[in-house]
Every structure is written in C-alpha cells, then in structure tokens.
Amino acid sequence: MRAMARTIKLAPLREDHIKAIVEIERQSHGCPWSDQSFRNELGHRHACFRVALDGAEVVGYGGLWLIVDEAHVTTVTVKPDRRREGIGRRLVETLLDEARQRGAVCATLEVRAGNEAAIGLYESFGFVRSGVRKGYYPDNQEDALVMWLHDLRT
Ligand SMILES: CC(C)(COP(=O)(O)OP(=O)(O)OC[C@H]1O[C@@H](n2cnc3c(N)ncnc32)[C@H](O)[C@@H]1OP(=O)(O)O)[C@@H](O)C(=O)NCCC(=O)NCCS
C-alpha cells in the first residue's frame, strides 16, 4: 500500500456523505448516478457501500450488491485529484473482503471497454474479461466489458 492510501479510512455510507459523492460522480461518469440512487444504497439489505475518507473529506466510494452467492460490483470511483494514490485498490480490496465474509463465492462487474484504468485495477484482483455488451452505455453507445472473478475464496 502506498503512503498516501494509509491515511485513508473506509466507512459505511452515511446520508451526509451523499452531497460530496454526487459531485465526484458528476465529474467522473458520463452516466452519473443521481442523489436518489445513492440514497437507495443506504437502506438496501443486499448492498455493501463504502466511502473513502481523508479526515472528513470524501475522496472515493465503491459499492456492490450481493445476489445469492455472487457479488456484483456497482461502482468504484475516486475523486479526480486523488487518483493513483491506491484509494481505488483499497476500495476494491475492502468490498471483496466484505463480499467474502457475507458468503459470496464469485464477483462480476461491467466496465466501459475503453476504461483502461478501471480494467487494469480489476485485472489486478483476478477479474477476467468474459463478454461484451454492445453499445451498453447510453451517453456514447460505448461497449461494456463483462468481467468475472470466478473464485473469490482463494
Ligand atoms: C478506476 C479508478 C477507480 C482507479 O482508482 P485509483 O485510486 O486511481 O487507482 P489506484 O491508485 O488504486 O490504482 C490501482 C491500479 O489500477 C490501475 N490503474 C489506475 N489508474 C490507472 C491509469 N490511469 N492507467 C492505467 N492503469 C491504472 C493500475 O493497475 C493500478 O495499479 P498500479 O498503481 O500498481 O499500477 C479511478 O481512475 C476512477 O475513479 N475513475 C473514474 C471512475 C471509473 O471509471 N470507475 C470505474 C468504473 S465504475
């Protein structure tokens, strides 16, 4: 872990994090989640959502849904000026640990086919490219890569 990432704490999502999250979301995604989408994660029995905090400042967030024994990663996002500090890696590591503890045996996600940063991050955890959803993203019709981590238990 890099020096900067060590000062970051990961905490469960709280309502007062959402304003900052929505701002990072708007800066980071072509199809941003709404304020309400994040609120829905708060009370979702099958969701796990973690916020990366530097002191009180939100610097990233990530979530997954547990569907039977599969973990579906829904988002991993780091504040633009805090990327390449190891925060994304901490978020994925923590989410997968949580999924494991809650009985998941495998994990999956969708990612834009051109998103090399995210693909590199997921591959470093053992996710492999398993399929393509053509024209999946409505803002620019970019393809989605479907990735799977087939055995979460190792
Ligand atoms: C993808 C994202 C979450 C990575 O977060 P990050 O905190 O910058 O990532 P880390 O510093 O933990 O890097 C972890 C690994 O990811 C990969 N990676 C991260 N940024 C990269 C880049 N710009 N180019 C290539 N690989 C990159 C590398 O494998 C890196 O490992 P390394 O540093 O040992 O080479 C961040 O770029 C982001 O928020 N992007 C916009 C939102 C997004 O696309 N989310 C993913 C889809 S939901």
Side-chain angles (χ1 to χ4, degrees):
M1 193 191 310
R2 271 164 260 166
M4 289 295 284
R6 255 183 253 133
T7 66
I8 304 295
K9 301 263 183 280
L10 264 60
L13 176 66
R14 289 196 324 238
E15 191 167 9
D16 60 309
H17 297 139
I18 291 178
K19 188 165 180 248
I21 288 176
V22 168
E23 181 57 24
I24 297 170
E25 180 76 5
R26 198 185 54 72
Q27 296 165 359
S28 302
H29 294 283
C31 303
W33 286 18
S34 65
D35 176 279
Q36 189 57 49
S37 308
F38 291 105
R39 285 179 196 284
N40 292 343
E41 297 295 301
L42 278 171
H44 196 310
R45 197 158 62 92
H46 300 295
C48 167
F49 203 100
R50 293 288 177 269
V51 180
L53 297 166
D54 187 351
E57 187 194 5
V58 174
V59 292
Y61 48 90
L64 55 76
W65 289 349
L66 287 152
I67 300 174
V68 194
D69 57 2
E70 296 175 356
H72 289 240
V73 177
T74 52
T75 185
V76 178
T77 305
V78 173
K79 193 169 183 246
D81 63 355
R82 299 300 301 267
R83 291 181 188 159
R84 302 308 312 249
E85 294 179 20
I87 298 170
R89 187 177 296 289
R90 282 277 303 280
L91 281 162
V92 175
E93 205 169 66
T94 301
L95 290 169
L96 294 181
D97 280 349
E98 178 77 25
R100 230 177 256 120
Q101 283 166 27
R102 288 169 66 172
V105 299
C106 56
T108 187
L109 54 86
E110 279 142 9
V111 58
R112 285 180 192 260
N115 190 345
E116 287 180 18
I119 293 167
L121 171 62
Y122 298 137
E123 283 181 336
S124 74
F125 282 89
F127 281 87
V128 293
R129 300 164 197 235
S130 305
V132 175
R133 296 192 210 285
K134 280 279 176 206
Y136 182 78
Y137 292 97
D139 60 327
N140 63 354
Q141 285 72 52
E142 188 169 355
D143 296 345
L145 278 186
V146 180
M147 302 186 79
W148 277 92
L149 176 53
H150 292 293
D151 193 351
L152 198 49
R153 293 163 299 181
T154 52

